[in-house]
Amino acid sequence: MNLKILYVLLLMLFLISFLKTIMSSSLISYQPVALPPNYYEYYPLNVTSGQCIFFHVITTLPSTIMLFNQEQFLIFKNDSKGIPIYFNVSDDVSFKTSPLSTGIYYLVVLNNVSNNTITVNVEYLLTPVSVYYYKSSLPAPIGITDYGVYNVSGILKGSIVKYLEAIGYVTVYNISAFNATPPMGTNRSGASLQLNVVLQVNTNNESYQFWLQNVIDFITSIKIYYIEDNIWNFTSNISYLTNASVSGKGAVYYYKDGNFYYAYSTTYYNYTFPFSLILFTKLDNISRQGVTISFGYNNGTGIQWYDNVTIHVFSVRSAYLLIDGYNLTGNQFYYDLELVFAGQGNGEYTYFKSMNSSLGLQIILQNGTIISPNSLYTFGSDTEESADNLMVLFQNNYAWVLIGNNNFHAIGNASIPKLYLYPPVTNNNTSGYGSLISLLALIFLIVLIVLGIRRLRRR
């Protein structure tokens, strides 16, 4: 009997530790604040109907911690007699509210217990997550995105979907982009369409998040494209990877600010309008020593699995691609699924002079069922590249990306676009360009590849 009790206690401790690890990796942190005696610090939180607030407050000495709605906070500011939603005196508090109404709420820390200056550390999370936290106006990645958040009669709801494969469809009828001052390694007429997914890897001791990108890079002035994959480590604010931790056809490169990423790209192809392509990102294998991701595309020649990448993580307990409307990754980005147009790379935002494309998404669940996400938004957030002068129009159940600026709303489900899959012409010769300028541009691009310059996604 005692052994059974001990077993249960150990199991509970493990579960609590595991949940704390998951939750702590999702919280948004404020900078620490030094608070003199009898002063207070407040933190405004913009809540949409149906969201809950989870907060964690740590102070170096006991203090008074309160949560107010806007009316209560105004009373508190005027005479300190406002009645809070939550009240506690402590130096370490964690609390989650029930679903709230739309409005601004104020988390207040009042240093009225001791006569000493204290240091205040505050973390919080709104659940379901607010999809407008990072992007709410142009420039932004524009297309279709599943954040795991949907609106039911004005009330936000969340969902969690574990899956094995993401499939992104595009048919392009017209595309032209221009940036007079593009970042190094990108083209003035470059653009990208990015299929971005999040991989969750759980081990016996901790969890990791990796950001997987399967990207069409366009050079719109001469109608050529290539396919590229990127892998980033989203477990913490710094994306740390090495050639020993990630292996495939490509290699690990340095970006900036201590961040590393894996990349590999294909050869160049011509395109003519209408042009269709299907992108595939698949969790291919899970073992105790790591996981393997397969990146593929179909441009009219059947599925080409152009890169198989193994992420070496030891003592793997489980792994899956994840859409999670309740949590953020370790570096405080979304667990979303994105198919979005943006700049070509290196954090570029570009201006689209023309655009007429149709997009679609499917995912394959862990049981093999193929479904289409049904709570799509018209913009992405995780990628650093952005687009200007684009909008998404939802018409006859299709998601159309066009020139404009009417964005940042939900559109529901989107049907697979009409596809034009013709075998492409590989750019192994110059007969298809018809001009010396185009030939020189192609040679310049090939030189960039030889020199090892890669198109970067976020950081």
Side-chain angles (χ1 to χ4, degrees):
M1 185 68 174
N2 290 336
L3 287 175
K4 288 184 178 180
I5 294 174
L6 179 61
Y7 173 77
V8 171
L9 289 174
L10 289 173
L11 181 61
M12 289 177 63
L13 287 172
F14 171 78
L15 290 174
I16 291 170
S17 176
F18 177 71
L19 289 172
K20 283 185 176 180
T21 300
I22 296 289
M23 183 59 75
S24 64
S25 69
S26 303
L27 296 176
I28 297 171
S29 301
Y30 286 103
Q31 289 294 323
V33 172
L35 194 59
N38 298 314
Y39 280 79
Y40 68 87
E41 184 73 21
Y42 66 91
Y43 304 85
L45 305 172
N46 197 348
V47 172
T48 300
S49 181
Q51 285 186 309
C52 304
I53 300 173
F54 175 86
F55 60 83
H56 182 205
V57 179
I58 297 176
T59 56
T60 49
L61 291 171
S63 60
T64 301
I65 300 164
M66 297 169 284
L67 180 68
F68 297 98
N69 63 26
Q70 192 163 22
E71 182 179 357
Q72 295 164 344
F73 180 67
L74 290 176
I75 296 173
F76 168 79
K77 284 183 66 177
N78 289 331
D79 61 13
S80 300
K81 294 180 181 178
I83 300 174
I85 298 171
Y86 174 85
F87 177 93
N88 200 347
V89 176
S90 178
D91 59 0
D92 190 341
V93 164
S94 294
F95 182 74
K96 182 179 179 181
T97 70
S98 57
L100 300 167
S101 302
T102 298
I104 300 176
Y105 293 77
Y106 296 86
L107 180 60
V108 175
V109 180
L110 174 62
N111 185 10
N112 64 343
V113 179
S114 72
N115 292 320
N116 300 303
T117 297
I118 63 173
T119 300
V120 179
N121 291 275
V122 171
E123 300 175 307
Y124 79 95
L125 181 69
L126 302 180
T127 60
V129 295
S130 172
V131 302
Y132 300 105
Y133 182 79
Y134 289 109
K135 298 292 183 181
S136 58
S137 63
L138 291 173
I142 298 301
I144 52 177
T145 298
D146 187 349
Y147 288 96
V149 177
Y150 54 100
N151 193 309
V152 179
S153 302
I155 298 176
L156 288 186
K157 303 287 186 180
S159 63
I160 297 176
V161 180
K162 300 176 183 178
Y163 62 106
L164 297 179
E165 184 173 352
I167 308 171
Y169 301 83
V170 61
T171 294
V172 181
Y173 298 91
N174 196 5
I175 182 173
S176 177
F178 183 76
N179 181 356
T181 57
M184 179 181 294
T186 62
N187 189 278
R188 291 171 63 171
S189 63
S192 70
L193 177 67
Q194 307 180 12
L195 177 64
N196 300 326
V197 307
V198 179
L199 167 67
Q200 177 85 8
V201 180
N202 304 312
T203 71
N204 291 336
N205 299 315
E206 53 190 322
S207 296
Y208 301 89
Q209 298 88 48
F210 298 95
W211 195 46
L212 315 176
Q213 297 188 284
N214 199 355
V215 181
I216 311 171
D217 278 301
F218 298 92
I219 309 299
T220 63
S221 59
I222 52 177
K223 293 192 173 82
I224 64 174
Y225 72 94
Y226 61 96
I227 313 296
E228 181 182 18
D229 60 30
N230 274 194
I231 295 177
W232 301 81
N233 190 341
F234 267 24
T235 309
S236 61
N237 290 331
I238 301 297
S239 174
Y240 183 72
L241 293 171
T242 68
N243 285 310
S245 64
V246 182
S247 57
K249 289 183 179 179
V252 171
Y253 300 89
Y254 180 75
Y255 181 40
K256 64 180 181 181
D257 301 329
N259 290 280
F260 292 82
Y261 71 103
Y262 170 92
Y264 175 75
S265 60
T266 69
T267 186
Y268 286 86
Y269 299 102
N270 290 317
Y271 66 85
T272 57
F273 301 125
F275 160 72
S276 296
L277 199 142
I278 309 172
L279 296 170
F280 303 86
T281 301
K282 178 170 64 172
L283 177 55
D284 218 14
N285 185 61
I286 305 170
S287 72
R288 293 286 292 173
Q289 289 74 42
V291 298
T292 299
I293 305 298
S294 294
F295 295 94
Y297 63 91
N298 183 355
N299 56 1
T301 57
I303 300 179
Q304 306 296 316
W305 296 106
Y306 68 97
D307 197 13
N308 298 302
V309 187
T310 298
I311 304 174
H312 303 281
V313 178
F314 296 104
S315 301
V316 173
R317 183 169 47 82
S318 63
Y320 38 80
L321 306 180
L322 182 61
I323 300 168
D324 186 345
Y326 294 99
N327 293 290
L328 301 174
T329 61
N331 64 348
Q332 300 177 357
F333 276 83
Y334 295 102
Y335 281 100
D336 64 4
L337 168 63
E338 304 178 344
L339 184 63
V340 290
F341 284 101
Q344 186 184 0
N346 284 353
E348 178 193 30
Y349 90 82
T350 194
Y351 182 87
F352 282 83
K353 299 192 296 182
S354 64
M355 171 63 74
N356 187 345
S357 298
S358 182
L359 301 178
L361 278 171
Q362 287 183 326
I363 59 175
I364 300 179
L365 301 178
Q366 292 176 307
N367 63 5
T369 303
I370 302 176
I371 65 170
S372 295
N374 57 11
S375 56
L376 297 174
Y377 286 78
T378 58
F379 62 98
S381 297
D382 282 359
T383 184
E384 193 177 32
E385 285 75 52
S386 293
D388 204 357
N389 198 34
L390 287 187
M391 62 176 282
V392 177
L393 177 66
F394 187 59
Q395 189 172 36
N396 298 326
N397 292 322
Y398 290 97
W400 295 91
V401 185
L402 307 168
I403 294 299
N405 57 16
N406 180 23
N407 274 298
F408 307 99
H409 53 267
I411 61 171
N413 195 350
S415 299
I416 304 305
K418 184 177 181 180
L419 298 174
Y420 301 85
L421 291 170
Y422 307 121
V425 177
T426 304
N427 279 301
N428 292 326
N429 56 64
T430 61
S431 60
Y433 292 104
S435 73
L436 179 60
I437 294 176
S438 296
L439 174 58
L440 292 174
L442 177 63
I443 293 172
F444 175 72
L445 290 170
I446 293 173
V447 169
L448 289 182
I449 293 177
V450 171
L451 292 175
I453 296 176
R454 287 295 185 268
R455 282 72 183 165
L456 310 178
R457 291 297 153 257
R458 202 191 61 81
R459 44 165 103 170

